[in-house]
Amino acid sequence: AVGLGYLPIYCEQLKSGKIAGDAQPGHVRVSGSAIVSDAGHGFSFAAFHEAMDDFHALSRQQGIAALAIRHSSSAGVLGWFVERIAKAGLIGIGFANSSSLMAPYGGSKAFFGTNPLAFAVPRVDGLPPLIADMATSQIAYVTVKEYAEKNMSIPLGWGLDKHGQPTTDPNVVLDGGSMAPAGGYKGTLLALLVDVLAGGLAGPNFSFQASRFATAGGEPPDVGQRFIAVAPQTFTGTSLGPAPFADRLEVMLSALSEDDGVHLPGSGRYEQREKAATQGIAVPDNLIATLRAYC
């Protein structure tokens, strides 16, 4: 996931103008069940938040709705978006394309971004949403960077050298190499799907056309995000029909949890939040100094 260590990158991009700090996002309903939001080369979070209430209302009205965000920058943690959809009582699905970091299966050069996809599902009252958030690469790019900073080897299968060969050296991946797709060609197909839905339909840039996310220089990345929200009550019948969706979901999740060692998607996220709330977060001194320098 994108943690506090990514904040200096955002700050440098704001200083250089790669991200427009004064962007005023706005959205428009373009069909019966579709909204398009223009981020104005600013943050995708702001664009989503500006359109969120209308998006949720349209989803309930139509049963299903789609939101496209265009002219935006990195989506960061895609789970942040879909969690908000689920907390509104809707099933949320999200796609975000990103600048080239991952080689397609059988290739040797970065073409797709790590192109994450995520979903979140509301549960019965009192329980946090079921959340899954994954890169279409074998592992997130920031994780490889963390291993490099700690001078640690990465497991074989996470990344490739500049010739497309697997490597355990994270610095080789970062210096002219590429990320490896999750599950080989299956990860490539998922990355392609994300690029079509978020880059092609929301875009305007596909991954291979976008400027690098992790650098301050260059043009705005101009990527996109796509979200779909489904109102469960639309498909579960009236009060005289099948049991409410959330109740039936718990039956399945309970059966799934009976297998020792199985963890529900999102459980680790919530455990880390609770730990941070009660124990705080350890932040390196050099990062604190860097962040304070922006004040």
Side-chain angles (χ1 to χ4, degrees), residues 1-2 75-83 94-96 114-120 130-136 140 265-266 269:
V2 179
V77 179
L78 196 57
W80 180 90
F81 300 83
V82 295
E83 181 176 0
F95 309 86
T114 53
N115 289 9
L117 55 90
F119 67 84
L130 187 73
I131 298 180
D133 182 354
M134 58 167 277
T136 52
R269 176 191 304 259

Side-chain angles (χ1 to χ4, degrees), residues 8 11 25 29 50 76 91 94 113 119 152 200 207 260 264 267 280 290 293:
C11 291
R29 183 175 174 180
E50 191 273 338
I91 298 173
F119 67 84
M152 296 170 57
S207 291
D260 292 340
L264 296 181
S267 59
T290 298

Side-chain angles (χ1 to χ4, degrees), residues 39 60 63 88-89 96 99 109 111 126-127 140 178 213 219 224 261-262 295:
R60 296 187 189 99
S99 55
K109 299 184 184 301
F111 185 82
L127 292 178
S178 60
F213 276 5
E219 297 295 317
V262 173
C295 298

Side-chain angles (χ1 to χ4, degrees), residues 39-40 42 51 53 69 75 93 95 98 104 110 132 156 163 181 187 196 209 250 258 268:
D53 288 345
I69 299 177
I93 308 171
F95 309 86
S98 54
L156 202 63
H163 303 294
V196 168
Q209 297 169 317
E250 291 308 308
E258 289 176 1

Side-chain angles (χ1 to χ4, degrees), residues 27 29 32-35 45 47-69 79-93 120 122 129 227-234:
H27 69 278
R29 183 175 174 180
S33 59
I35 293 174
F45 324 109
F48 180 85
H49 190 269
E50 191 273 338
M52 183 174 66
D53 288 345
D54 285 350
F55 176 43
H56 293 167
L58 187 61
S59 303
R60 296 187 189 99
Q61 175 188 332
Q62 299 293 92
I64 183 171
L67 166 65
I69 299 177
W80 180 90
F81 300 83
V82 295
E83 181 176 0
R84 278 150 181 78
I85 299 174
K87 284 184 174 179
L90 306 163
I91 298 173
I93 308 171
F227 299 97
I228 299 170
V230 180
Q233 60 269 30
T234 305

Side-chain angles (χ1 to χ4, degrees), residues 252-274:
M252 187 267 286
L253 296 181
S254 177
L256 178 63
S257 300
E258 289 176 1
D259 189 350
D260 292 340
V262 173
H263 298 278
L264 296 181
S267 59
R269 176 191 304 259
Y270 297 126
E271 289 171 3
Q272 288 298 319
R273 283 184 188 174
E274 179 65 24

Side-chain angles (χ1 to χ4, degrees), residues 122-241:
R123 298 179 65 183
V124 293
D125 291 342
L127 292 178
L130 187 73
I131 298 180
D133 182 354
M134 58 167 277
T136 52
S137 55
Q138 186 65 38
I139 199 72
Y141 180 76
V142 292
T143 303
V144 175
K145 286 190 65 177
E146 289 173 1
Y147 272 68
E149 291 166 359
K150 296 176 181 178
N151 199 29
M152 296 170 57
S153 296
I154 59 173
L156 202 63
W158 280 16
L160 310 172
D161 64 20
K162 62 183 179 180
H163 303 294
Q165 298 302 310
T167 179
T168 59
D169 187 340
N171 294 293
V172 170
V173 177
L174 300 175
D175 185 17
S178 60
M179 303 294 294
Y185 73 90
K186 293 183 179 180
T188 299
L189 294 179
L190 289 174
L192 174 60
L193 173 64
V194 172
D195 223 7
V196 168
L197 293 177
L201 280 175
N205 279 342
F206 290 104
S207 291
F208 81 97
Q209 297 169 317
S211 61
R212 290 291 300 274
F213 276 5
T215 60
E219 297 295 317
D222 209 355
V223 292
Q225 295 81 36
R226 168 77 57 177
F227 299 97
I228 299 170
V230 180
Q233 60 269 30
T234 305
F235 301 94
T236 55
T238 67
S239 59
L240 299 178

